[in-house]
Each structure stands twice: as C-alpha cells, then as structure tokens.
Amino acid sequence: MAAQETVDHKYVYDFSEGNKDLKDLLGGKGANLAEMTNLGLPVPPGFTITTEACQAYLATGREPDGLAGQIEAHLESLERAMGKRLGDPGDPLLVSVRSGARFSMPGMMETVLNVGLNDQSVVGLSAQAGGNDRFAWDSYRRLIQMFGKTVCEVPGEEFEHALDQIKSAKGTHDDLDLDADDLRGLVDAYKKIFLKHTGREFPQQPREQLDLAIRAVFESWNAERAVLYRRQERIPADLGTAVNVVTMVFGNLGPDSGTGVAFTRDPASGAQGIYGDYLANAQGEDVVAGIRNTVPLQELGQLDRASYDELLGIMARLEEHYKDLCDIEFTIERGKLWMLQTRVGKRTAAAAFVIAGQLVDEGLIDLDEALHRVNGAQLAQLMFPRFQLDHEFQPVATGIGASPGAASGTVVFTSARAVELAAEGRSVILVRRETNPDDLNGMIAAKGILTSRGGKTSHAAVVARGMGKTCVSGADEIDVNVPAKRFTVAGQTVQEGDVVSIDGTTGKVYLGEVPVMPSEVVQYFEGSLDPEHIDNALVRAVHRIMTHADGKRRLAVRTNADTGADAARARRFGAEGIGLCRTEHMFLGDRRELVERLILARAPGEREAALAALLPLQRADFEEIFREMDGLPVTVRLIDPPLHEFLPPLEQLAVNVAVAQERGEDVAKEEALLAAVRRMHEENPMLGLRGVRLGLVIPGLFAMQVRAIAEAAVSCARDGGVAKPEIMVPLVGAVQELETVRAEAEKIIAEVVGDSGVEVLIGTMIEVPRAALTAGQIAEAAQFFSFGTNDLTQMGWGFSRDDVEGAFFWRYLELGIFGISPFESIDRDGVGRLVRIAAEEGRAARPGLKLGVCGEHGGDPDSVHFFHEVGLDYVSCSPFRVPVARLEAGRAVVETGGSDSR
Ligand code: PEP
Ligand code: MG
C-alpha cells in the first residue's frame, strides 16, 4: 500500500489544475500562473513540479519514484496542446525551466530558457521565426550559456569572455551588431568551453536537457546565496522550490514583440493608475541586465494599441480578482500578449495604508481586511521624519536601511570624537567600516550611524535599532579610512567635519545636509492635521483604519510617561492612562543631592529632613501628571533605581580623596562619603539593592512617595478633577514583601484621602521569575499586576539588559539562536510562559485581577498579539508607540477571527 502511494503521489500539476491557494505546494509563481490560466488569461501553457518533489530530491539526492513518468505525461499533453514536439527539427517546442518558491527569493535561484534547442532544431526555430537566423542562433547560444553555467557549473566569465572576443574582432561593444554568422561561431565557441569544463559534449537530447535543468533548479535551493538570503529574511530552510516548465514565448522577434513589467497601482504611493516599463524587441533578461533603456508602459499604447488595451483589461481583472495591488510580467510575441507572472505586489508603508483605504472605498474588501493588510511596523515607519528630497539631492551610495529615520550631521570616524562634538551640541554621523562594542558611547552620542560593511543583523544595525537611532549599514561603495579620517565614495572624498545625510529607511546616503520633513502621520496624531478637511490620502487612510482598530480591540493601551509633557502627548496619541510612571526619574538633577543625603544619612534627623524636603516636590510632580491624565488611571511605580545611580562613582571619589590627602587638605567629609559608597558598592547592582528591597531598607522612603501620591490625588479632586492613582511596587519576588509595603501604605492612604472620594489601588510588578511562579500567593495581596518584561527577560534568560545587546546579540541573530532580540519582542516560549502562568494563577486566586504589561514589549507588534492572546487588560508603551499598539491590538482581534468590540 505504501509503495503504491509513493508511485501514485502527484508531483506534477498542469497550470489548469492548480490555484493561487496552493503556494506551499506549487510555489508563488506556479500557483499564480495556474490561477491566471483558470481565469482564462493568456498564459503560455505549462506545468509545475511541486515543492514536495524538490524536498524528496534534496533529502535523497535522486528524483522521487514516479516523477519522471509524470513529467513525460505532462510534456506529451503540452506537445499536443501546442501542436509541436520538444526537439522537433522542423518546428520545435521550446520551454523555460524556472524556480518558484513559497516566498519570493528574487534572483536567488536558477532559470534556464530555450530548453529544447539543439543542432537540428535551431534550424527549425529559424524557419518558424520567418527565416530569422540571427534570432535562432542567439537563442541557442543563450541556452548553452545558461545551461552550462547553471546546470554544469561552467564559469560564467568564460562565456562572457568568448562573447567579448567576437565583439572586439568585429569592432563593436553592442550584442545587437552581431549577425547570424557571428552567433553561429559563438555557439561553436560555447560548445568548446562546455566540453573543456564538463568533459562531455553539450547534450543534444532535449529530454536530457530538461531533466538536468529541473535537477539544477532543485539544487539551487541550497546554493550559498539562497541559504544566506533565507537566513536574512527568516524563510524556513526546508520548504524547497517548485519548478515551472513553461512554453517559451519570445519578446525579441522584432519591433512587434517586447517585454515589460507593470503594477496595477503605484507601489510607492498607492496612487491609482498604470505603472510600469516596456522594452520593445527584448527578452526579460535584457530588461534586468539594463542593456537598453525601457520606456514608460503608456508608450506601449502608441506601439501596439491592441496589446496595450488587452493588458489594461487584464490588470483591472487581476486587481478585482486578487482584491489587491498586483505586479505583472508580460511578453508580446509578434503582437500577441502573454502573461508570464503575477503576484500581490510589494509596496511601501504609505502605499499599504492608501491602497487598503482605496480598496475599501471600491467595495473590494471590508475594514477588517484593510486592518489585516497593514501593520504596526509600517505605521511606525510612517511616524519617522523623512528627507525632503528634490532633484538637487542624488544619493552617492546605497546601503541597507538598518534602522529607520532620517539624520544629517557632521562626519566623525571615532567614538571619542562623536562624544566630543555631541557635547558641543553638534549633530554627528558616526562612520565606521563596522562597529563593535567599543563604539557604544559614540553610537549613543551620534544622530546616525553609517557603516560600509554588515547587514541587518550586524552589530551597528542591532544596537542602533535598540536605541531607535537612524542607521545605514553595509554601504559598500563607501571606502572608509579611519586613520586618515576620511572616506571616499563615487570619486569624492569626505573628510571629518563634512556633512552627510543618511536615510535609515531606504539605505541611501547623501552628501551635504538634506532638509528633514516632519511626519504627516505624527501631525495627524498630534491633532494638527484634520483628516476630514485635508486632501491627503495617507492621513485619511490612517485615520480610517485606526478608528476601526480602536473599535475592534479588546486590549486597552496606556503609556509609560513620567512627565506632564509626555503624558499630554501620549494622551493625544490615544493613550488611555499611564501604565508606568517611573518615579526614579524624578530624583535626578537638582534633587540628586537630597537623595544622596537620604541614602547616606548618619546623623539623627538627617533622613527625615531629606524626606520632608522631597515630599512637596514629589506631590507637585504627581499633581501635574494627574491633571494631564484627568479621569484616566495612572500607575505610579515606587522608586526602583539601582543604588549606584544616586551615588558618586567609587573610583572618582577614591582618586579625589587620595589627591586631597596628598595635598594635606581636610578630607574627613570625603572619607566618610567614600567609606559609605564602598559599603554600598555592588558587583551586580541590577540584582542588588533596588525596588522593593530599597523601600524596605530605607525607612520612610516609600511612605513619603505614597503620601505624595495620595495628597496629589486629593488636591486634584478638590480642584474638580478625577485622579485615579494605582500604586505599584517594583521587583517583588515574595508576597511578604508586598504585604509589608501595603500595610504601611494603606495606613497613610486612609489618613490622607479621608472622605475625599479618592480611591487608590495597590498592586505590584511581576518582573522577577519567582513572582511569576508564585503569582497565586502574590495576587492575594495585589489589586493589579503589571508585567515588567524587561526585567523578566533579563532574569529569565540571565542576560544583563544593559550589556548583551551590544556585546553579542549580533552573533546570536546570525546563528539563528533567536530571530529577534528577546528584549525587543517577547520570547513566547520562555518569558512568555512565565507571563502566562502568572496571569492564569493570579486570576485563579483573585478573579478579575487587572493585568497589564509595561516593559518595552508593550509597544512591539508581535508581543501585543501575544498579550492579547494571554488575556491581559492593557499594554503600556512609550508615547510614540501608542498608535502602533492601538493598531496591533485591533489586528490581534481580526486575526484571531474574533469580533470583540469594546
Ligand atoms: C521592566 O522591568 O519591564 C520595567 C518596566 O521596569 P524597568 O524597565 O524600569 O526596570
Ligand atoms: Mg523592571
């Protein structure tokens, strides 16, 4: 039975048998060729060998049983349909053999054209082409060249060299000047090259040509460049490619033939219209090689009205059918239009929104589908400032858009110089061949980073993205000379101190300062562009889709903010409260000295005095925030700094004391300070005296904050506002810690709020693995949980969050240990599991327990989907990510098929 199944297994599909939903089996190209065939569009007949056949071949090193017979049968029916035979000396059928995987991998795999030509059929082809000998011999030499290179690994340069020799003998640089005799001579030369490298004659049997070409396409799945590309694009390694065998059609048969590409809408802006390029008397590979210049597609209307009109009709039909922007490849052979490929086309972020909006207007899709077709990463891209480019600015190099944004600044080549100039208030661009951890300070100081080497996962790229800093990596046209403090590009030299501009979205590099344009989408979120009253397709589409996302989402979106200004901006961006107000930020600047006194207090009353001085300052901080968030919940986290952040650096202090002692100065005070700092010095401050531990060790500190929060809330209520404070205790690992803090806090709250009507909740962060694992106990003492996924990731993985991303994550990404930094996107299996356990056990112990997340992951698109799945009540993120989180929270509902509406 098993053997029978193997023999019967279907490995080959005629185009009339497949459809667009069979991409896993037929690859993108094959599935769409089948779809077009079934729509009755003019697709050259052919068939597709499945990805399963490729997988079987790659696993065993030989074609699976039954494949050869199925190819034979499909070939016969193709020959019947075309009324021609492969290898027929009088009227040969020719086919192309093309790769086509599930995901587009442009230029990564192989194609062989004109399979079926040999010493006899070349004559027949010429006769078929109306005695066009030149065309026939040119087709034959292309076959030998492509077949030799692709199937038999003959070095491509050898063929190019032979072609150059014939051209120089003729005194020309142009292939088109070669006549039929020249090309016949070239075929001889190519055959000799083939024999020299393979030890055999060029195969004259068309079926052998076909089988070897198919095998070569299978094998090209594992070519080095394809493997690298897949790793970069995170395409699974085991999918394999399908192989399409397609009847050849020729765009190079004369002026009434040609080839082109088309888009049904502008893939850059989304604008409706006809976009594309056409090249008369040419084959697709000539367009790619850029031998001659293409003309805008509209000009085909003058050259061949009938084909042009037919093409427009097909484009409209495809759009309506796919309900999306399509891109198309076509060929015209002597006035007859043929469709060679279509697919749902790639587009820019702006076009994605605009097109989704248009398709809703046209009734082709509904708003749920429109929401599904855009994403948070695109929205985030639209929120970066962009360069205002006019013709004056031409890029001098193009690298990889490694971290989006637009930055102009003075060129520097070392980290130290970047720090120096930035300290003077200058914008700098740090230019390096590649960066390493020693460049960290320079990267922090710079406005943007430009490297000549490295891809999207290079050190520079990973670190820049982590910092939200513009970065172009791998701009290899740039030759960087650090010791000489200059780089050269396109024949120009750029010295330290010159200005360059880099676009981290497109990867383009410009000389001089390019003006920067603010994002219209941000202006809309800020409320300064009214979508109802401006003629801006992008803003209107964003407005419409965001409104729909808000209506759909179940997750609320809050913001992380600790100033009134941030709170106000986030509220304009749609935040529905504050999920994390980090109070330690309120203890910096002028107040640092008070905190130092508080921590180091020795004399009686010293601590109380420092706390008394801090209380009114803190009260004012909270009043400002409560006012901005009037009516919305505000989670205030009690102080959580690693202690060393408030103390003078140990080494500096030791040096100062030693120098002063040497000079015979009175150093009693400094010595006392030094002794205290030494006493409190921690090897691992992140795992040391911070969070709730600090609150339990320094009497009165948390109490002062709780009082300030309660007093500020009461004062707002007295002024007619509504403050909804939620006090959050950081770094709790055991319920007893929370109980201790809570007992003291409740007393203070009761005393302060009296009958003012203010209600204050007390909850905890879940950011220590032990807290997640004992969430059932902790929930007994907590009115809410907020997941601190930054620390949970740090402690879950044992990764120092301040060090590892710059130190070695690039290597982990390169090796595929993870696809994205776990500090950027939640590690669902590990850290995510801790979140899931804590959510379930917390809610089991206290039904209805409010759950949120306030780590960086709260604004990461994929993580938002995870938090939706786990059933949290809200995510909290930095103000600029609030719109992204709103959009993704809506998408999470439509993608899980829910109709959840709040
Ligand atoms: C966290 O750990 O996720 C968190 C929000 O707290 P912080 O980043 O301030 O440690
Ligand atoms: Mg934390």
Side-chain angles (χ1 to χ4, degrees):
M1 186 64 197
Q4 186 66 35
E5 265 175 23
T6 317
V7 172
D8 285 342
H9 193 86
K10 187 168 170 63
Y11 287 118
V12 185
Y13 286 68
D14 189 87
F15 288 167
S16 60
E17 295 177 294
N19 66 58
K20 69 175 172 27
D21 300 322
L22 292 180
K23 288 200 185 72
D24 286 341
L25 189 65
L26 304 178
K29 189 192 288 262
N32 287 321
L33 282 169
E35 188 77 10
M36 287 198 292
T37 302
N38 292 325
L39 284 172
L41 302 183
V43 175
F47 54 86
T48 304
I49 302 163
T50 64
T51 53
E52 288 176 354
C54 175
Q55 290 157 11
Y57 176 84
L58 293 175
T60 61
R62 62 177 192 83
E63 286 79 3
D65 290 346
L67 177 60
Q70 291 181 37
I71 293 175
E72 188 64 39
H74 278 85
L75 200 53
E76 277 169 16
S77 65
L78 189 61
E79 288 176 335
R80 267 197 307 280
M82 298 303 294
K84 296 177 183 208
R85 264 188 321 102
L86 202 65
D88 184 334
D91 185 10
L93 170 72
L94 302 186
V95 294
S96 64
V97 179
R98 297 167 187 270
S99 60
R102 167 77 180 85
F103 300 104
S104 155
M105 293 170 55
M108 292 299 138
M109 290 182 297
E110 301 297 359
T111 293
V112 184
L113 303 179
N114 304 338
V115 169
L117 276 177
N118 58 22
D119 294 351
Q120 278 83 46
S121 63
V122 65
V123 181
L125 179 65
S126 165
Q128 259 185 65
N132 190 341
D133 271 357
R134 185 192 183 282
F135 159 74
W137 286 99
D138 190 39
S139 301
Y140 193 20
R141 71 95 189 166
R142 285 179 197 245
L143 168 65
I144 302 172
Q145 184 169 359
M146 255 187 256
F147 189 94
K149 211 173 126 199
T150 303
V151 181
C152 303
E153 291 172 22
V154 179
E157 311 85 72
E158 296 247 355
F159 294 116
E160 275 143 38
H161 183 62
L163 178 62
D164 287 343
Q165 270 187 332
I166 288 206
K167 283 196 282 193
S168 66
K170 243 198 133 154
T172 178
H173 294 293
D174 192 343
D175 292 10
L176 292 175
D177 288 337
L178 301 180
D179 61 22
D181 285 339
D182 298 324
L183 291 162
R184 192 180 284 121
L186 191 58
V187 163
D188 281 340
Y190 277 8
K191 283 197 205 159
K192 287 200 183 91
I193 294 171
F194 189 93
L195 177 62
K196 184 176 102 193
H197 281 275
T198 64
R200 59 165 294 187
E201 300 286 346
F202 177 74
Q204 292 292 310
Q205 274 302 326
R207 180 61 207 266
E208 187 187 2
Q209 292 174 3
L210 179 63
D211 288 341
L212 291 175
I214 291 169
R215 187 180 283 200
V217 174
F218 283 161
E219 283 176 358
S220 70
W221 175 258
N222 280 335
E224 198 179 315
R225 62 180 180 204
V227 172
L228 273 177
Y229 181 85
R230 286 200 295 273
R231 206 176 285 157
Q232 189 89 17
E233 299 296 314
R234 319 244 169 263
I235 297 174
D238 55 359
L239 300 178
T241 180
V243 184
N244 299 290
V245 177
V246 193
T247 307
M248 282 297 303
V249 290
F250 294 97
N252 54 347
L253 274 173
D256 57 352
S257 303
T259 189
V261 294
F263 297 89
T264 56
R265 302 184 190 222
D266 183 350
S269 71
Q272 276 143 318
I274 306 296
Y275 295 85
D277 301 303
Y278 182 71
L279 188 55
N281 198 8
Q283 277 194 297
E285 64 203 89
D286 302 329
V287 180
V288 179
I291 298 164
R292 278 179 288 147
N293 285 338
T294 56
V295 298
L297 188 58
Q298 280 79 353
E299 287 190 24
L300 176 60
Q302 279 101 58
L303 297 171
D304 180 351
R305 189 78 219 174
S307 295
Y308 183 67
D309 288 345
E310 187 184 355
L311 181 65
L312 296 198
I314 290 174
M315 284 165 70
R317 179 104 192 268
L318 284 174
E319 262 230 347
E320 204 176 317
H321 182 72
Y322 282 86
K323 302 185 190 325
D324 209 342
L325 158 82
C326 295
D327 76 28
I328 289 160
E329 286 177 24
F330 66 93
T331 279
I332 297 172
E333 181 181 296
R334 291 203 189 126
K336 163 89 183 106
L337 175 68
W338 292 101
M339 305 300 294
L340 299 188
Q341 176 167 315
T342 192
R343 63 184 168 193
V344 167
K346 291 207 163 64
R347 65 207 68 190
T348 62
F353 277 87
V354 170
I355 291 171
Q358 286 167 357
L359 293 173
V360 172
D361 287 339
E362 292 164 28
L364 286 174
I365 61 173
D366 63 13
L367 273 164
D368 275 7
E369 179 62 22
L371 184 54
H372 174 66
R373 290 207 187 165
V374 296
N375 62 50
Q378 291 165 336
L379 183 64
Q381 244 185 48
L382 295 172
M383 292 177 68
F384 285 104
R386 280 179 299 129
F387 283 134
Q388 195 162 11
L389 288 166
D390 47 36
H391 296 300
E392 191 189 324
F393 293 103
Q394 293 300 327
V396 288
T398 303
I400 293 165
S403 180
S408 288
T410 304
V411 170
V412 295
F413 293 92
T414 62
S415 189
R417 188 72 181 141
V419 172
E420 244 170 68
L421 291 193
E424 291 169 17
R426 311 249 303 263
S427 287
V428 300
I429 305 289
L430 177 64
V431 183
R432 309 279 294 165
R433 275 160 64 96
E434 57 208 342
T435 59
N436 63 46
D438 293 337
D439 293 318
L440 207 59
N441 286 334
M443 294 174 80
I444 293 168
K447 238 306 168 353
I449 296 133
L450 168 61
T451 69
S452 59
R453 294 179 39 179
K456 268 202 154 112
T457 59
S458 62
H459 175 266
V462 174
V463 176
R465 277 202 300 278
M467 294 176 183
K469 200 149 278 193
T470 302
C471 174
V472 171
S473 67
D476 54 13
E477 295 121 295
I478 288 178
D479 191 7
V480 181
N481 186 337
V482 172
K485 296 188 188 163
R486 62 164 185 258
F487 70 77
T488 49
V489 60
Q492 303 186 62
T493 300
V494 177
Q495 311 274 1
E496 181 174 284
D498 292 346
V499 172
V500 297
S501 301
I502 59 172
D503 185 327
T505 308
T506 62
K508 294 200 168 23
V509 181
Y510 303 86
L511 300 185
E513 182 170 346
V514 182
V516 171
M517 208 165 56
S519 150
E520 291 156 329
V521 171
V522 168
Q523 289 174 314
Y524 153 66
F525 286 130
E526 290 274 12
S528 57
L529 283 184
D530 178 355
E532 309 294 343
H533 294 105
I534 56 159
D535 182 23
N536 182 318
L538 174 61
V539 169
R540 271 189 281 116
V542 169
H543 171 66
R544 192 153 177 211
I545 293 171
M546 289 303 295
T547 308
H548 188 64
D550 285 340
K552 279 276 165 184
R553 68 189 158 90
R554 184 186 54 72
L555 278 173
V557 178
R558 298 196 193 178
T559 191
N560 293 357
D562 34 66
T563 64
D566 274 357
R569 156 172 276 170
R571 196 166 184 170
R572 289 196 298 274
F573 282 6
E576 297 157 296
I578 289 183
L580 175 62
C581 168
R582 289 181 166 101
T583 56
E584 56 274 18
H585 293 171
M586 300 166 172
F587 289 70
L588 299 173
D590 298 346
R591 305 180 191 176
R592 188 183 273 277
E593 193 225 340
L594 280 175
V595 181
E596 203 176 296
R597 268 170 44 202
L598 174 72
I599 296 171
L600 300 174
R602 276 292 162 95
E606 207 177 342
R607 175 178 302 121
E608 289 72 14
L611 287 169
L614 281 165
L615 178 67
L617 302 174
Q618 279 268 270
R619 192 193 304 125
D621 295 333
F622 298 133
E623 276 175 3
E624 186 187 339
I625 288 173
F626 290 151
R627 259 198 305 277
E628 293 297 351
M629 280 288 162
D630 186 39
L632 297 176
V634 174
T635 306
V636 182
R637 183 177 71 184
L638 302 180
I639 188 166
D640 173 30
L643 206 51
H644 68 277
E645 286 186 13
F646 291 115
L647 296 174
L650 178 63
E651 292 80 11
Q652 186 67 52
L653 204 54
V655 170
N656 290 354
V657 170
V659 170
Q661 276 169 339
E662 197 63 28
R663 290 190 189 133
E665 292 167 7
D666 175 12
V667 289
K669 222 172 122 208
E670 282 76 8
E671 273 176 340
L673 182 60
L674 178 60
V677 170
R678 279 220 170 96
R679 201 171 53 247
M680 294 190 177
H681 179 71
E682 293 176 319
E683 286 300 335
N684 292 312
M686 269 292 187
L687 300 179
L689 186 57
R690 53 177 283 228
V692 66
R693 304 161 194 174
L694 193 66
L696 295 177
V697 165
I698 300 187
L701 176 57
F702 275 9
M704 179 278 291
Q705 288 199 292
V706 169
R707 184 174 294 281
I709 293 164
E711 287 180 0
V714 170
S715 136
C716 281
R718 251 189 236 118
D719 295 345
V722 178
K724 295 183 163 179
E726 300 178 346
I727 293 177
M728 179 154 78
V729 185
L731 224 71
V732 164
V735 67
Q736 293 83 351
E737 292 170 313
L738 181 61
E739 282 167 350
T740 311
V741 173
R742 188 173 167 184
E744 186 186 23
E746 277 176 342
K747 267 196 224 130
I748 297 168
I749 293 167
E751 182 192 312
V752 175
V753 302
D755 57 4
S756 64
V758 169
E759 198 192 345
V760 185
L761 302 186
I762 300 178
T764 180
M765 296 204 58
I766 301 289
E767 56 181 343
V768 174
R770 190 181 188 284
L773 297 172
T774 58
Q777 296 168 14
I778 293 178
E780 304 282 348
Q783 289 173 292
F784 64 89
F785 282 176
S786 178
F787 290 97
T789 47
N790 303 333
D791 271 307
L792 209 52
T793 302
Q794 166 164 268
M795 296 185 219
W797 277 89
F799 281 159
S800 160
R801 61 195 261 193
D802 294 333
D803 301 314
V804 289
E805 287 194 281
F808 64 84
F809 268 23
W810 59 274
R811 181 69 181 139
Y812 270 44
L813 292 162
E814 207 172 71
L815 290 171
I817 292 173
F818 33 65
I820 184 166
S821 159
F823 285 110
E824 199 177 326
S825 192
I826 191 93
D827 151 38
R828 289 176 176 238
D829 298 342
V831 178
R833 179 134 192 265
L834 289 171
V835 173
R836 221 182 254 281
I837 290 170
E840 278 167 19
E841 296 187 3
R843 283 220 171 116
R846 184 189 277 257
L849 176 70
K850 184 153 46 166
L851 299 174
V853 55
C854 61
E856 282 305 300
H857 305 85
D860 165 66
D862 191 50
S863 311
V864 170
H865 288 239
F866 174 76
F867 299 130
H868 170 82
E869 281 165 37
V870 175
L872 303 196
D873 295 299
Y874 68 86
V875 295
S876 185
C877 54
S878 59
F880 261 87
R881 290 174 127 196
V882 165
V884 172
R886 285 165 52 201
L887 184 77
E888 291 294 350
R891 295 186 72 234
V893 173
V894 299
E895 279 173 16
T896 47
S899 54
D900 261 335
S901 215
R902 285 180 316 148

